[in-house]
Amino acid sequence: MEEKPKNLWKDVYNYQSHVTVSTSESEDVDEREVYMEDLEKRKQVYGICGECKEPGTGEYWCQSCNAKRFKDNFKNWTSGNKIIDEFIQQSQLNAVHIKKFLEWIPFEKFQNITYIAEGGFEWIRVKNCKCVLKSLKNSSNISSDFLNEIKSYLQIYLVDIIECYGITQDPNTREYMMVLYYCHNGDLRNYLNISEDYITYGEKIVKLRQIARGLLDIHNAGKVHKDFHSGNILFTGVPFISDLGMCQPANKEQTVKEEGIYGVLPYMAPEVLRGHQYTKAADIYSFGIMMNEFHSEEIPFNDIPHDEFLAMKICKGLRPKISEDIPKLLADLIMKCWDAEIKNRPTTKVLFKILDKWNNEINDRENRQNSEIYSQAIECDKIGEKNFENRSNENKSKNFQTHPQAIYTSRLLNYKNLPKQ
């Protein structure tokens, strides 16, 4: 009979739920600040291993002891591919956190597989746990793109990023797949569409703060997302950033290929459309578009074709309409995020701090009456609640109808000689 693993962890105080650490050499010193605790304190507060008596290096995690267990288990599994085996093994040997290692998961472990869309499947396993299987085309011949996306999940702190559990392989197509956390409320657009209750501005600020924190984690890891839009913001009850397929180092030199660039046109910064370097500021622009969509609950540019003419208008300064019924402070932040001038957009750190401050003010019951954002949110909620009550389900659905040439999935775009504002 297999011996039951013993509990190696003692209870600890000062539990820390979130840390962001930058690894980018190009960041300003300001940008390298750790928001909750520094890394050394993190090691001290997570606990003492009951076996080796060393401080943990992650949440309830002893890196050295677990690495030994993983290594001892290498002989019990194989993907059948040396590159995949070594990739998974390295993730296990180097894991410093419970969410920072991968597993090889045999395909026969999955049950009730249902096709969702190109790139993903849903499956249900024991205890009704749902996950998504995401495949990349031609991954039967292991590609750097496939491995690079998985590496991104290992390199970024995962509180607000979708977790990758491991890798599997479809026995029929021979394509490899990532096994990802499943969000039952779908993306931002679906979350808004299925909501049966009015979502207050206080609730929206809470969720925007979490999304901003996830983007900050990506940027503090020295990366840019490059495909940030509402379709890649997924919800359970809380939001998660997904799809790190285009995520890459922020300081990596890149040139726009002759065939064009990839993305969802309404969310792409004008400088990117013109073929310039993709920066963290371009992610902030996309955040502004998503933020306005969250508040207005209307899809950006949903009533017009997403073509070169729209790209030209965006470069000349066209932006989605901002509702008159949202708090002015939020409207001002949206406009700063999508400003045509990169230097006028807030950094991710500043964006997070603003939303964090507003969230604290709204939830401070004793002092929030003196808060400008709280006062504005309360007034706008009165209007929003009344509009929500008066809007039938039929009318609500109509708000989400789109032009047949409005495309909200990432695709190749190839526009030349776009104008400046």
Side-chain angles (χ1 to χ4, degrees), residues 1 9 28 33 36 44 47 51 53 92 120 147 178 187 194 200 202 228 241-242 278 280 300 403 413:
M1 182 175 178
W9 291 97
D28 294 331
E33 290 182 3
M36 300 297 287
Q44 295 169 14
E51 185 168 313
K53 309 302 180 184
Q92 294 178 349
L147 294 182
M178 288 177 281
D187 62 18
I194 66 175
T200 67
F228 193 91
I241 298 175
S242 70
Y278 198 103
K280 295 176 182 179
H403 190 282
L413 302 173

Side-chain angles (χ1 to χ4, degrees), residues 39 50 54 57 64 90 105 114 142 167 170 181 196 202 214 223 259 276 284 298 322 352 364 366-367 397 414 418:
L39 187 58
E54 291 295 321
T57 53
S64 57
Q90 285 302 309
I105 306 175
T114 305
I142 289 300
I167 304 174
D170 187 323
Y181 178 75
E196 297 180 355
K223 296 178 177 292
E259 63 267 22
H276 293 181
I284 294 296
E298 293 187 5
I322 297 178
F352 171 73
D364 184 353
E366 294 184 3
N367 302 307
S397 297
N414 188 3
L418 292 175

Side-chain angles (χ1 to χ4, degrees), residues 13-47:
Y13 297 98
N14 301 323
Y15 173 73
Q16 177 188 342
S17 63
H18 184 73
V19 173
T20 54
V21 181
S22 171
T23 58
S24 172
E25 295 296 329
S26 63
E27 293 276 14
D28 294 331
V29 173
D30 240 6
E31 288 290 312
R32 289 198 296 264
E33 290 182 3
V34 179
Y35 273 79
M36 300 297 287
E37 298 285 350
D38 63 81
L39 187 58
E40 288 305 311
K41 183 175 288 188
R42 179 185 178 199
K43 292 180 180 179
Q44 295 169 14
V45 302
Y46 270 132

Side-chain angles (χ1 to χ4, degrees), residues 11 19 66 163 176 187 230 234 237 281 309 313 319 323 342:
D11 292 333
V19 173
N66 283 301
E163 183 179 356
Y176 291 97
D187 62 18
S230 63
L234 305 181
F309 294 105
K313 291 178 181 178
R319 301 292 184 269
S323 172
I342 292 176

